[in-house]
Amino acid sequence: LFGGVEAMLDAEYVSSMAHNVSTEFWGFTGRAPGSHGENEPFLEWLLLLSNTSDADAPKVISTSYGEDEDSVEPAYAERLNVEFAKAGARGISLLFASGDSGAHGEADCPGGKYQPQWPGVSPYVTSVGGTTGQPEIAVGLSSGGFSNRYPMPEWQRDAVKAYLSQPDIP
């Protein structure tokens, strides 16, 4: 098992927020196949989860790692989506950070487009952003929950349209 500084902070934060809730840490080293040198080995983790009994599998998994959506090969993303969907069908909630680099991603808006963060944009996981300040506003490191690869779900259309119609949206 591997644990870096960010993973340790995640584990400490989760443990401090939920009194008397069992927590465990699953960590993996290596890189995704065909990766651009930075992508996480999510499939290795998901295959282990798939082979873990329902009695022993965590019911909620929180992961703060991600990468620019366009750095993940589409075929690999689809393979991961199959595993994400399988976990969801088992009643396992998968929570991912919406990003650590803001809407511009690591590559500063390549081609003039925002750069969503994978796997937070997968249709089969829940993407979680952060807030800051008083009054509370979205923190700049979140990527916003939009995808350049996957269409907006129908059930979100009205809420997104209403949000985007507000004045003074940057």
Side-chain angles (χ1 to χ4, degrees):
L1 292 178
F2 172 76
V5 173
E6 186 172 357
M8 183 56 68
L9 289 172
D10 293 345
E12 290 172 354
Y13 195 84
V14 167
S15 297
S16 69
M17 295 300 291
H19 183 66
N20 285 335
V21 173
S22 297
T23 59
E24 51 186 80
F25 175 79
W26 293 23
F28 298 87
T29 61
R31 295 292 175 216
S35 76
H36 300 274
E38 295 296 322
N39 299 89
E40 299 291 333
F42 290 117
L43 187 58
E44 183 180 345
W45 157 64
L46 288 165
L47 292 176
L48 178 61
L49 180 63
S50 182
N51 289 312
T52 301
S53 72
D54 286 344
D56 293 330
K59 302 304 179 242
V60 178
I61 298 173
S62 177
T63 307
S64 68
Y65 302 130
E67 45 252 353
D68 288 352
E69 180 180 47
D70 70 355
S71 75
V72 179
E73 298 294 327
Y76 183 63
E78 289 310 310
R79 179 64 182 94
L80 294 176
N81 277 337
V82 168
E83 294 302 321
F84 292 149
K86 286 169 48 179
R90 294 174 64 192
I92 299 170
S93 296
L94 301 174
L95 310 176
F96 284 91
S98 69
D100 284 341
S101 334
H104 57 77
E106 297 293 330
D108 292 328
C109 295
K113 289 185 174 182
Y114 288 138
Q115 184 57 260
Q117 298 293 292
W118 172 265
V121 297
S122 168
Y124 302 99
V125 305
T126 300
S127 183
V128 181
T131 59
T132 187
Q134 293 293 330
E136 201 169 27
I137 60 169
V139 70
L141 56 81
S142 292
S143 74
F146 294 93
S147 172
N148 292 327
R149 188 174 287 170
Y150 303 104
M152 181 188 314
E154 185 63 37
W155 58 269
Q156 287 183 348
R157 292 195 192 284
D158 289 342
V160 171
K161 183 179 177 182
Y163 172 77
L164 293 175
S165 69
Q166 295 178 56
D168 301 324
I169 293 178

